[in-house]
Amino acid sequence: MRDKKDKLLSKEIDLSFITDNLEDILTKALTVIAISFPVIELICTMLGYPNLLMHTLLRTIGYVGFTFLLIVFLNNKKHKMVLSDMLILLSTLFTILSVVFSLDIDSSIAGASVDLAEDFGQVIGYYVIFFAATHVIKADNKKLIMIGMLIASLLHTIPAILQRFGIWPWELYEADEFPVAYGLTPHHNFYGGIAVIFSALTAMIYITK
């Protein structure tokens, strides 16, 4: 009985299916993430709670994604560190150190009281997305992500156009201070955000040729 228990404890986690199909898994995850942000924000806006769950989604991606990638890559002996891996890991390390030595650790972890301020989990969420994206190599997978980003761009842009011409049926975020068109980002310079997205799409089209 004890021998069986020792074997179970010493047995390595079998992640062969995940490691063998990691790029396809990351591709689908990134595509879903890209579309999820505007869809969730649109639903929250329709229910009267704009900008409610976007930060929660990004924070979840940060903690869950970081744990998932850490387990997978620690158990993948075939993986070789590349420059992008090291840069993102260094950025993560610097973020952790900045929290540890922060004058206000609680605000660094949970986010400041300033509206739209990003907390530790959300910053890690950015790194997780960047890290996952650097491991998408196949042209077909890049095209799938590109389609997802195009859908996300349209979901952001169409509401911004409606807001610009005053035919947006729901309450505008911060409308009392300065009514602006921001789409679903929610960022006042929504055009800048969309331009960044389309710049990435254009670059990806060139890369996948």
Side-chain angles (χ1 to χ4, degrees):
M1 183 73 179
R2 185 172 180 178
D3 292 338
K4 290 182 179 180
K5 186 176 180 181
D6 292 338
K7 287 180 179 179
L8 288 173
L9 291 173
S10 61
K11 187 178 179 181
E12 292 184 0
I13 301 174
D14 185 12
L15 298 174
S16 58
F17 174 80
I18 295 177
T19 54
D20 292 342
N21 300 277
L22 184 60
E23 182 177 341
D24 293 336
I25 293 172
L26 293 178
T27 298
K28 291 179 175 62
L30 290 169
T31 305
V32 170
I33 288 170
I35 299 173
S36 295
F37 276 103
V39 169
I40 287 176
E41 178 59 18
L42 179 59
I43 293 173
C44 290
T45 300
M46 293 170 64
L47 295 175
Y49 301 100
N51 194 36
L52 178 65
L53 295 179
M54 290 180 68
H55 293 293
T56 302
L57 175 59
L58 184 57
R59 193 179 300 115
T60 302
I61 292 170
Y63 291 125
V64 175
F66 181 81
T67 304
F68 170 79
L69 291 175
L70 187 64
I71 293 173
V72 169
F73 281 99
L74 286 178
N75 284 272
N76 186 7
K77 297 177 181 179
K78 297 179 181 178
H79 178 69
K80 295 181 179 179
M81 292 284 289
V82 295
L83 180 60
S84 59
D85 293 347
M86 291 185 284
L87 289 175
I88 295 173
L89 288 175
L90 280 174
S91 298
T92 303
L93 177 61
F94 290 148
T95 302
I96 294 173
L97 289 175
S98 69
V99 171
V100 172
F101 293 102
S102 173
L103 296 176
D104 189 348
I105 296 179
D106 291 337
S107 294
S108 298
I109 295 176
S113 57
V114 181
D115 198 14
L116 300 181
E118 294 167 332
D119 56 39
F120 174 76
Q122 293 170 42
V123 174
I124 297 299
Y126 289 128
Y127 295 154
V128 167
I129 293 173
F130 297 158
F131 186 85
T134 60
H135 291 274
V136 177
I137 308 299
K138 300 175 185 175
D140 289 342
N141 286 337
K142 292 179 180 179
K143 289 176 182 178
L144 181 61
I145 295 175
M146 192 161 55
I147 292 171
M149 293 296 288
L150 182 60
I151 294 172
S153 299
L154 291 173
L155 289 173
H156 280 301
T157 305
I158 292 173
I161 294 173
L162 297 177
Q163 292 164 3
R164 169 63 182 82
F165 291 100
I167 52 178
W168 182 245
W170 296 285
E171 182 181 358
L172 283 173
Y173 183 71
E174 292 185 342
D176 294 337
E177 295 182 24
F178 35 83
V180 292
Y182 57 83
L184 297 171
T185 40
H187 195 284
H188 309 307
N189 185 13
F190 80 93
Y191 178 77
I194 300 302
V196 169
I197 293 175
F198 275 107
S199 297
L201 291 175
T202 305
M204 191 173 288
I205 291 173
Y206 174 79
I207 293 169
T208 53
K209 283 186 177 181

